[in-house]
Amino acid sequence: MTTLAPRRRVGGGWIGLLTLANVGVWAAFFGPLNLLLGQQAALFSPDHKETVLALVTGLGAAVSVVANPLAGALSDRTRGRFGRRHPWTVGGALAGAAALVLLAGANSVLTMAIGWCLVQAAVNVALAALTAEVPDHVPVDQRGVVGGWVGLAQMLGVLGGTALATAIGGIQWGYLGCATLLVAAVLPFVVRSRDPGVAPERRVRPGRTLAGFWVSPRAHPDFAWAWLTRFLLNLGNAFGTLYLLFFLTDAVRHPDPSTGVLILTSIYGVSMVATTVLAGRWSDRVGRRKVFVTAASVVMAAALAVLVLWPVWPAVLVGTVVLGLGFGVYTSVDFALLTEVLPAAEDRAKDLGMINIASALPQVLAPAVAAPVLAYLGGYPALYGLAALVTLVGGLLVSRIRGVA
């Protein structure tokens, strides 16, 4: 477990700027994932849109699996007048915006895939640095509420990215809007927040190589169980969201699937707002994390089961509300839990990058698993049933973590 945690509580201004920066980062991810990539896949290959989307998102997720922990490790070891996190945050945001512009001009599946891989690489650099800001600056007994705001930022980013992709008009303008939001949201945090050139834990002296990159499950079992829990819950989420546009088109028969995605994303966001910060604050007060994660997984699994039993628009609306309530609790409390099982203070960004693999890897595996399920094993009811099962198992496994209440 990480030692020498910060003791001075962070203020509302710092939390607000960090939240805004995360909104921009998540908009850059989910504006394309929720809508724009699917629209491009349908444009370039109408008869094989599911396969094209799976290929492109899988390649991008594979890139993120490497980019996030590598950027985190480099950030941990960066020393200079501009700090150790901010250079990576700014560089990742600017490069990510440029890659989104490239995607806006894509004219084939190949350029679409290259553009999305570049977006994943660059934006994950920024995300790795931003994520490490929390254990760098926030004391343990405030991480639930800060995690709630970070989780809320993720949802606002999803909503903002989807809204930009829908409302601005056209695939190209949707990508340009996401690029603009990314840079505009990240820069205020970098300009207004401090970033010491050395770690806050003055006694820690990290090496200047990437040795020790791997975290041994045998040596750090709590870290391993936390990783597996996040992996399974994100795998269930990936099953449920990756094909949402096509689910509304082919199973629900919604007359305007793109607008349907925006409506569901908005409802999901409102539901998540109702629980995210509240659950984080409650978790801080009672000093417990695991029970919240387990309860959230049960709620999310129930919501996914609704989509299995009643794949009609009114039921999808109800399921989305319940899913948002559960995910709001999970996001805030799980983030706080993860910061408490990090193996070493000197490798915070790298180890959080390893944790972020648990969020990215499902984006690689979900298409490979979902495609045969949709084609041969029962279609969307089977896919959402699998999502519910995986989500429930992930929530139950959190009980294996011993070092956190």
Side-chain angles (χ1 to χ4, degrees):
M1 180 178 296
T2 301
T3 58
L4 301 174
R7 296 182 179 180
R8 183 179 179 180
R9 296 173 71 85
V10 294
W14 188 90
I15 296 173
L17 291 173
L18 179 68
T19 301
L20 177 62
N22 276 278
V23 167
V25 166
W26 290 109
F29 282 128
F30 282 99
L33 277 173
N34 272 8
L35 202 60
L36 296 172
L37 291 173
Q39 290 176 337
Q40 278 186 317
L43 177 66
F44 295 146
S45 184
D47 296 332
H48 303 93
K49 58 187 179 182
E50 294 91 349
T51 302
V52 170
L53 181 61
L55 174 64
V56 171
T57 56
L59 288 172
V63 169
S64 73
V65 165
V66 177
N68 199 294
L70 180 60
L74 294 171
S75 171
D76 286 332
R77 287 152 178 80
T78 297
R79 300 292 182 266
R81 58 180 297 191
F82 298 110
R84 62 172 180 163
R85 309 296 186 202
H86 286 354
W88 298 95
T89 302
V90 173
L94 293 177
L100 286 165
V101 173
L102 175 63
L103 261 176
N107 57 8
S108 67
V109 173
L110 177 60
T111 52
M112 175 184 167
I114 292 172
W116 183 238
C117 286
L118 292 174
V119 170
Q120 283 280 15
V123 180
N124 267 284
V125 169
L127 178 62
L130 280 175
T131 303
E133 297 280 2
V134 176
D136 278 353
H137 296 278
V138 182
V140 171
D141 63 359
Q142 198 184 9
R143 289 181 187 173
V145 67
V146 173
W149 284 105
V150 171
L152 179 60
Q154 180 175 343
M155 189 59 248
L156 292 175
V158 173
L159 179 59
T162 306
L164 284 171
T166 304
I168 289 181
I171 295 173
Q172 291 79 13
W173 286 107
Y175 279 123
L176 294 176
C178 290
T180 301
L181 178 58
L182 171 61
V183 175
V186 163
L187 288 182
F189 176 76
V190 173
V191 172
R192 298 293 301 275
S193 65
R194 67 185 182 88
D195 182 17
V198 296
E201 303 82 2
R202 302 284 179 170
R203 288 173 288 174
V204 174
R205 292 293 183 269
R208 294 187 176 274
T209 71
L210 299 184
F213 195 85
W214 175 251
V215 177
S216 167
R218 185 183 298 273
H220 303 284
D222 282 353
F223 183 86
W225 285 115
W227 191 98
L228 183 59
T229 295
R230 169 161 280 211
F231 170 77
L232 290 174
L233 283 161
N234 277 277
L235 182 60
N237 185 64
F239 285 144
T241 60
L242 182 60
Y243 291 102
L244 181 59
L245 179 65
F246 302 150
F247 172 66
L248 294 182
T249 302
D250 301 330
V252 179
R253 306 291 183 184
H254 193 282
D256 187 354
S258 296
T259 300
V261 170
L262 178 60
I263 292 171
L264 293 179
T265 304
S266 302
I267 292 173
Y268 185 77
V270 172
S271 301
M272 186 174 170
V273 167
T275 57
T276 301
V277 178
L278 177 63
R281 192 180 301 275
W282 188 8
S283 175
D284 284 340
R285 287 180 177 176
V286 300
R288 297 175 65 86
R289 310 293 192 199
K290 294 187 293 187
V291 65
F292 288 90
V293 173
T294 300
S297 73
V298 173
V299 172
M300 288 187 286
L304 291 164
V306 170
L307 304 185
V308 175
L309 299 173
W310 301 288
V312 296
W313 181 244
V316 172
L317 293 174
V318 173
T320 300
V321 171
V322 177
L323 188 64
L325 293 173
F327 197 73
V329 175
Y330 164 71
T331 301
S332 60
V333 179
D334 182 65
F335 184 80
L337 183 153
L338 291 170
T339 65
E340 295 179 39
V341 298
L342 299 178
E346 64 268 27
D347 288 321
R348 281 173 173 164
K350 184 268 291 183
D351 291 337
L352 283 169
M354 296 291 289
I355 287 289
N356 283 333
I357 291 177
S359 300
L361 189 58
Q363 300 297 326
V364 180
L365 297 179
V369 175
V373 170
L374 290 173
Y376 307 112
L377 299 178
Y380 286 103
L383 180 64
Y384 283 106
L386 179 61
L389 177 62
V390 168
T391 298
L392 184 60
V393 171
L396 295 176
L397 286 179
V398 77
S399 64
R400 301 299 299 270
I401 299 173
R402 303 301 182 192
V404 178

